[in-house]
Amino acid sequence: MTSTNHHDTPRVQMTPDQWRQRLTDQEFKVLREAATEAPFTGEYTSTTTEGVYRCRACGAELFRSTEKFESHCGWPSFFSPLAEDRVRYITDTSLPGMPRTEVRCAACDSHLGHVFSGEGYDTPTDLRYCINSVCLTLEPTGR
């Protein structure tokens, strides 16, 4: 089922059972239960292919390859989303003494990863969107 939020981003709403039918076990654990894939194991960690990264759960466009950079952290890193209305942020206090900012898909509310600031990367925003590969699909451009 799809509805619209206040940013006019189409919203995808499904029951947990519907998500389980649509996603693999690993995709469900990360996207719907906020787990994390192991570092340096994801298919997009070192990818340099030009294109658009979409939410694996709902297909929403989230990031562009032009904002992807090598951070050597073990997960794909981006310095900004495609547009601010494509993601939403939640304060994550699941690790004691280490509050983080969780990044979710604005369209389907799937967990994507976390965003960190002030790490000193040479990027225009000084932000690192640390995103699980399993949360993304890459649609190559310029073929």
Side-chain angles (χ1 to χ4, degrees):
M1 173 159 293
T2 302
S3 64
T4 303
N5 65 17
H6 67 281
H7 295 294
D8 293 327
T9 300
R11 296 277 302 163
V12 178
Q13 297 173 325
M14 289 197 252
T15 66
D17 285 339
Q18 289 171 316
W19 283 119
R20 283 183 203 284
Q21 290 174 7
R22 184 178 201 155
L23 304 169
T24 67
D25 287 345
Q26 183 187 23
E27 291 168 353
F28 185 85
K29 285 176 185 161
V30 177
L31 288 156
R32 305 310 304 168
E33 297 178 335
T36 301
E37 68 188 351
F40 300 102
T41 62
E43 67 181 304
Y44 301 125
T45 301
S46 300
T47 299
T48 58
T49 303
E50 290 183 24
V52 174
Y53 289 87
R54 294 178 173 272
C55 176
R56 189 167 303 221
C58 72
E61 292 183 354
L62 300 171
F63 300 95
R64 292 198 188 281
S65 59
T66 52
E67 281 75 43
K68 188 174 188 286
F69 70 101
E70 185 56 63
S71 67
H72 306 286
C73 72
W75 294 274
S77 297
F78 302 86
F79 59 81
S80 70
L82 189 138
E84 276 302 317
D85 68 347
R86 304 302 173 97
V87 296
R88 70 183 200 92
Y89 305 95
I90 298 174
T91 300
D92 177 354
T93 56
S94 63
L95 293 179
M98 188 180 160
R100 303 176 293 171
T101 302
E102 179 183 359
V103 180
R104 290 184 172 236
C105 175
C108 70
D109 202 38
S110 287
H111 170 79
L112 302 172
H114 293 86
V115 61
F116 303 94
S117 65
E119 296 179 317
Y121 288 103
D122 186 21
T123 63
T125 63
D126 198 25
L127 296 174
R128 176 174 59 95
Y129 286 78
C130 184
I131 307 298
N132 292 282
S133 284
V134 73
C135 298
L136 304 171
T137 56
L138 174 60
E139 181 180 298
T141 56
R143 287 187 172 191

